[in-house]
Amino acid sequence: ALVQREDAQKLLEDVQWDIEFHGFLTNHVKHAVIALAGLDAPPERVQAYWDEYTATTPYGMTLDPMDAKFETNLKESALTRADVASLLGKKQSFSKLCGYFKKQVSELGVDGAVSAHFATMLADGIVGALTHGVIHLGWALASGNESMVVEGLAYQAFCHVSLRPDRYVTEALPGATPLESMLWLAEEKRDELAAFAADVKTDAEGRWPADSFRPELVQAGFQWQVAKVIDAGNSCFHLRPTWLDDDNLLERLYELASVLHLASEGNFLVLHLITSLWGLDNVLSSLPPEQSKGDLLRHFWVMLLALLVTSGGGVPSGHTLHRVIDDAGLSSGSPKTDDPDDPAVQDHWRKLTDDAVHHQVEEHNIKLVYAEKDLWLRFGRKSLYRNAAAAFTDTPNISPSSSTFST
């Protein structure tokens, strides 16, 4: 387990605060606890961050208290699997969903409960709540905290927004790797995708009226726009990547997410591709070998495209992607790597970690440093990951009416 510390585990057990606040925003405070503890922040700093976030979030809004019936529903929920399926994405009965998944974890164990529900029921909805369902679940699994895993399973059911796998086709997507596929989209389909997204978001003909979507999605602004883009569908989303069986697929997707983060100059939305993939990575580690990882990572690819296409910046240009790819040495097949004994590299990581631990109010940057440092250690100390860790984002201007992120 990532978090063995008693101070952090105690906070992860806390259920004072609801999973969402202000109607559509996710409570991130436990994610910050995991990242801070993983970066060896002292207990007093972890507690101070918790106190600051729960008093006033970085958005200047307060958290909502947990449902008064949470403890009762946790113990007495009578939901069945069929009930959970009927509640997917309706943003109802969170505490009862927690009760259902608590029983599942008690009966099947953590890995058993994840295996029994994720691939068959939850995985195609990971775009919900701007990826925070899979973030909460995956980071909970990394922490080893069973109560937070229960929350994560329940939240992924609660916020589920289908990526429409019924539309996936067998026609091949060009590109032998995720980066090559993204370059094809950037160079051949960028204008088409931008026009598609603009048409859907503007919706001059009223094809996607607000009353045809769940009310909380409409309230959530950008999340509604993403849901409209997914509902409208684009053939590029549904093509089958040829690289799904690559044994190193997770590493290739991490490279892509980090390249996109640098290409977007630390965009708030793109940062979520890194932290959600890190969460999904931990979920996949809980699944048995016979469950196809490639099929589940296809959902991540479709989610990535939907988020990029809906965002204000859209798919980056081929020129921008090539610049970042060349800078990272990925185009040559010999990625630039760091010497861990190089004082300059050590000093850079020391400064990034110190900033994340002691100075950052923006929780997403704390998670970014932690996740990218983990990738740097796991995948050959590529300079790409260290540089991506340094591309901090700004707290966005979020409101229900915002269809893009102002950063």
Side-chain angles (χ1 to χ4, degrees), residues 111-132:
D111 287 354
V114 173
S115 178
H117 295 85
F118 189 75
T120 55
M121 181 182 286
L122 304 176
D124 71 306
I126 58 174
V127 72
L130 198 62
T131 79
H132 287 105

Side-chain angles (χ1 to χ4, degrees), residues 262-322:
L262 287 168
S264 70
E265 299 181 341
N267 178 272
F268 176 84
L269 175 65
V270 177
L271 185 152
H272 286 76
L273 299 176
I274 297 167
T275 53
S276 63
L277 182 57
W278 198 87
L280 181 57
D281 186 355
N282 284 286
V283 176
L284 297 181
S285 295
S286 296
L287 301 178
E290 61 269 20
Q291 288 196 8
S292 172
K293 308 301 191 291
D295 288 345
L296 298 179
L297 287 168
R298 185 174 184 177
H299 295 320
F300 177 81
W301 169 255
V302 176
M303 178 186 79
L304 178 153
L305 294 183
L307 292 174
L308 274 185
V309 167
T310 312
S311 70
V315 174
S317 69
H319 173 77
T320 299
L321 288 174
H322 276 296

